[in-house]
Amino acid sequence: MTHTHSHATEQPSYGQAFALGISLNLFFVLIEAFYGWHANSLALLADAAHNLSDVAGLLLAWVAYGVAKLRPNVRHTYGWRKASILASFANAVFLLIAMGSLATEAISRFGEPGELNAETVMVVAGVGVIINAITAWLFMRGSRSDLNIRGAFLHMAADAFVSLVVVVSGAFALWLGWTQLDPVVSLVIAIVIVIATLSLFKQSLHMLFDGVPDSVDLNAIQNALLETPGVRALHDLHVWNLSTTETALTAHLTLEQVCQSDEILADVIHLLAVEFHIEHVTIQCESTQFTQDCQLNRLDSSHLKYVH
């Protein structure tokens, strides 16, 4: 039995981005809530509530980002990498709940939109566009490869969009007297953000249950491993996310000659790192006889059992 591991490369630091983003948005929440109440704007108050949930989401993502870097120990041999996945899931749930509350309140105001101080709404929401856009930009690069960072980015990008729409609704209220547009815009905002959040929710939930990452072609990995010289058969292959940035793989390989295991392992590790970007790898090398007696091989009745 042979095992080997290759550990992921160091990820860029986003500690300062989280600190700046949280500070900017917390300050803006206070301003937006104060002027939203004075201007009698549901859209502005809703945006403030949404921004407050995003401050909590950013804080949660920051904590998870830090916790995931803690070293493994005898009680948690994988460390706390999964914290980033939990944070992504929690952020998605927070957004969906917040938008459900916003939609309910917007519907209740359709009949009585009330008076609206459009000038104040436009100015405050305009400031929100700038702050949220800057914060989203801080996380834009990392959002392509880290679901936790993507959750933070989506929160901020959504807020920038919300604030922009609020500016537009304020303009219509000022120039055309369309105060009833305020709850309508709030409802539209809720629907758009829910649609955008569903992808984050589904991806993070998939990761929580150790699903095969969307970026991984399991059939391609199976075929590539079986085509490696010296590999006769394959069973008990598993691929899952250790965190929002790390993918792990385990597999049992039946070798034609067990004495060649070191050379074959080197080839397999290189293949998985270069072709599939999987660097946390555990391989069990087996002889044909051992594979026949392997309990996991007997239990593996799925499509993950292959023999040349």
Side-chain angles (χ1 to χ4, degrees):
M1 183 186 299
T2 306
H3 293 271
T4 182
H5 294 273
S6 176
H7 297 284
T9 55
E10 187 70 20
Q11 297 297 319
S13 175
Y14 288 94
Q16 291 183 346
F18 277 116
L20 180 58
I22 289 171
S23 300
L24 285 173
N25 281 271
L26 187 57
F27 176 71
F28 180 63
V29 164
L30 298 176
I31 294 176
E32 194 171 32
F34 176 79
Y35 283 104
W37 178 70
H38 277 279
N40 193 34
S41 169
L42 174 62
L44 212 53
L45 287 171
D47 194 26
H50 178 216
N51 270 305
L52 184 60
S53 73
D54 282 350
V55 170
L58 281 176
L59 186 60
L60 177 64
W62 191 12
V63 170
Y65 174 80
V67 168
K69 292 181 176 294
L70 294 178
R71 296 177 64 83
N73 55 42
V74 293
R75 293 282 293 170
H76 301 92
T77 56
Y78 276 127
W80 297 80
R81 292 177 172 93
K82 215 149 197 153
S84 59
I85 299 176
L86 285 169
S88 302
F89 179 75
N91 269 328
V93 172
F94 287 163
L95 261 177
L96 292 174
I97 293 174
M99 291 305 101
S101 299
L102 170 58
T104 301
E105 182 64 21
I107 292 172
S108 70
R109 284 210 183 185
F110 274 148
E112 298 179 2
E115 295 297 324
L116 183 69
N117 189 330
E119 296 92 338
T120 301
V121 169
M122 292 177 65
V123 171
V124 175
V127 174
V129 172
I130 297 172
I131 290 178
N132 290 319
I134 290 174
T135 309
W137 175 78
L138 294 174
F139 300 106
M140 184 170 64
R141 182 178 179 183
S143 68
R144 301 186 184 98
S145 57
D146 186 335
L147 194 66
N148 187 35
I149 301 298
R150 182 187 169 198
F153 169 76
L154 282 177
H155 272 292
M156 297 301 102
D159 279 351
F161 171 73
V162 168
S163 297
L164 181 61
V165 174
V166 171
V167 171
V168 174
S169 69
F172 276 104
L174 178 64
W175 296 328
L176 301 176
W178 291 359
T179 56
Q180 70 273 20
L181 195 61
D182 188 65
V184 173
V185 167
S186 300
L187 184 59
V188 171
I189 286 170
I191 294 172
V192 170
I193 293 178
V194 164
I195 293 173
T197 304
L198 284 177
S199 174
L200 177 65
F201 176 81
K202 289 189 291 186
Q203 278 189 277
S204 57
L205 184 64
H206 183 70
M207 286 185 176
L208 281 176
F209 285 92
D210 292 332
V212 177
D214 293 339
S215 60
V216 170
D217 186 339
L218 196 61
N219 288 326
I221 291 178
Q222 294 164 356
N223 293 334
L225 290 175
L226 288 172
E227 291 171 1
T228 302
V231 176
R232 180 178 181 183
L234 161 70
H235 71 95
D236 205 50
L237 171 63
H238 300 281
V239 183
W240 74 101
N241 283 103
L242 284 176
S243 69
T244 52
T245 59
E246 296 176 89
T247 302
L249 178 148
T250 62
H252 290 216
L253 299 181
T254 305
L255 306 185
E256 294 175 357
Q257 297 184 39
V258 179
C259 62
Q260 296 179 330
S261 61
D262 287 352
E263 179 182 346
I264 295 172
L265 280 173
D267 291 341
V268 166
I269 292 171
H270 179 76
L271 168 72
L272 292 171
V274 173
E275 297 295 331
F276 301 100
H277 309 293
I278 301 175
E279 298 183 337
H280 194 112
V281 176
T282 304
I283 301 293
Q284 178 166 312
C285 295
E286 304 172 351
S287 65
T288 302
Q289 183 59 50
F290 189 94
T291 297
Q292 292 174 352
D293 297 334
C294 180
Q295 183 179 7
L296 290 176
N297 184 37
R298 293 198 299 270
L299 293 175
D300 187 4
S301 59
S302 70
H303 66 289
L304 300 180
K305 183 176 179 180
Y306 290 85
V307 180
H308 280 315

